[in-house]
Amino acid sequence: MARHGGGRGWYGKVLGAALGVTLMAVGASVWTAQADAVAGSSPRAVASPAAGAAGGDVKSVAVTIAHASDKGSRGVNITIDDGPDPVWTPQVLDVLREYGVKATFCMVGTQAQAHPDLVKKVVAAGHRLCDHSVSHDTAMDKKSEAYQSQQILDAERMITEASGGVRPMYYRAPGGAFTPYSRKLAASRGMRPLGWNVDTKDFERPGTDAIVATVQRELSNGPTLLFHDAGGDRSQTVEALRRILPWLKEQGCSFGFPVR
């Protein structure tokens, strides 16, 4: 899976704030040796699983990276990354509502914490939540397991608190930077690792026509489509969705969620 790194200065600002949040969270977290059961090796410090659970009711899911749709062979999964954003998320929600489409929103922890009203709007509209880490570090797979656990579990807590108690159902590693450890940890928290089949490259702002053409050309690769609602000007994404959603319906596609 492609890594989204260059030209995304917004994350430099988020990262500074996120590092402060993470450092405070490390000091405040209840640490446990439960990571031993997740990693299958020596005990490591991991934030208490109860911190991100609604009522503490968490069931493990598969550790494999999900791509398929729960709507079957003609299903399509719309996934929206990096928000919520006060400018673009409401516009994306408006387009999805206009065409009666439900999507999966992969949220950055600091963004969810900063905009809980938008997290609640996403949930109220019937969309699903996905943990996209605290600070969108695309080099997470090169970092320690303790760092990975902080990024995943702190984001889970931030998103759950911002939503009013609704937990994320998936975990998407920034830039696809999964590791066996991060997948096991997320799955143990009830968050299915989530991949994608069509990368629209909308974060590069290639033009609305180019985004639409990418989906039309690569839809045969699989059902999970990747878009963004934060990290910069997303006007092209909004307009592309306005054209792509009715086109997908014309192709006989049904909109669903990634398999769990």
Side-chain angles (χ1 to χ4, degrees):
M1 287 185 277
R3 296 202 179 230
H4 304 158
R8 306 183 73 179
W10 176 77
Y11 287 115
K13 298 176 183 178
V14 170
L15 183 57
L19 287 173
V21 170
T22 301
L23 287 171
M24 288 188 293
V26 170
S29 294
V30 177
W31 297 92
T32 173
Q34 185 159 357
D36 184 31
V38 174
S41 56
S42 59
R44 292 175 178 85
V46 176
S48 169
D57 183 18
V58 179
K59 296 181 179 179
S60 296
V61 293
V63 301
T64 52
I65 298 174
H67 294 90
S69 174
D70 64 4
K71 290 295 186 180
S73 61
R74 297 300 297 167
V76 172
N77 308 320
I78 302 297
T79 65
I80 315 288
D81 282 20
D82 298 359
D85 179 273
V87 174
W88 304 112
T89 302
Q91 295 185 46
V92 170
L93 286 171
D94 286 345
V95 175
L96 294 172
R97 182 174 61 251
E98 180 180 350
Y99 292 100
V101 173
K102 304 303 181 187
T104 301
F105 283 77
C106 302
M107 296 186 174
V108 174
T110 51
Q111 290 295 105
Q113 189 176 59
H115 307 289
D117 56 326
L118 292 177
V119 182
K120 291 180 176 67
K121 285 183 180 179
V122 167
V123 171
H127 306 293
R128 288 186 179 179
L129 301 177
C130 171
D131 179 335
H132 201 34
S133 83
V134 172
S135 57
H136 201 277
D137 182 354
T138 58
M140 272 182 63
D141 56 338
K142 308 300 183 185
K143 307 291 177 63
S144 70
E145 291 179 358
Y147 176 84
Q148 294 175 50
S149 70
Q150 291 162 16
Q151 285 284 310
I152 295 168
L153 298 182
D154 285 355
E156 179 194 7
R157 173 181 52 78
M158 291 173 177
I159 294 167
T160 302
E161 290 176 355
S163 71
V166 178
R167 299 183 62 256
M169 299 177 68
Y170 308 92
Y171 166 66
R172 173 174 276 168
F178 288 103
T179 66
Y181 175 81
S182 69
R183 289 190 292 108
K184 287 179 182 179
L185 177 59
S188 76
R189 300 292 302 136
M191 297 183 291
R192 180 75 185 267
L194 176 59
W196 63 81
N197 303 106
V198 180
D199 184 352
T200 65
K201 301 292 180 67
D202 62 332
F203 64 91
E204 295 179 349
R205 288 184 283 179
T208 299
D209 289 346
I211 297 170
V212 173
T214 296
V215 173
Q216 294 176 336
R217 182 178 65 252
E218 298 184 11
L219 184 61
S220 60
N221 292 346
T224 301
L225 281 54
L226 173 60
F227 300 90
H228 297 80
D229 64 342
D233 184 336
R234 295 292 165 248
S235 56
Q236 294 178 7
T237 300
V238 173
E239 291 309 309
L241 283 169
R242 201 177 299 280
R243 290 166 53 181
I244 289 166
L245 298 181
W247 178 81
L248 288 169
K249 288 187 175 183
E250 290 171 3
Q251 307 311 302
C253 296
S254 300
F255 296 95
F257 294 109
V259 295
R260 290 261 298 159

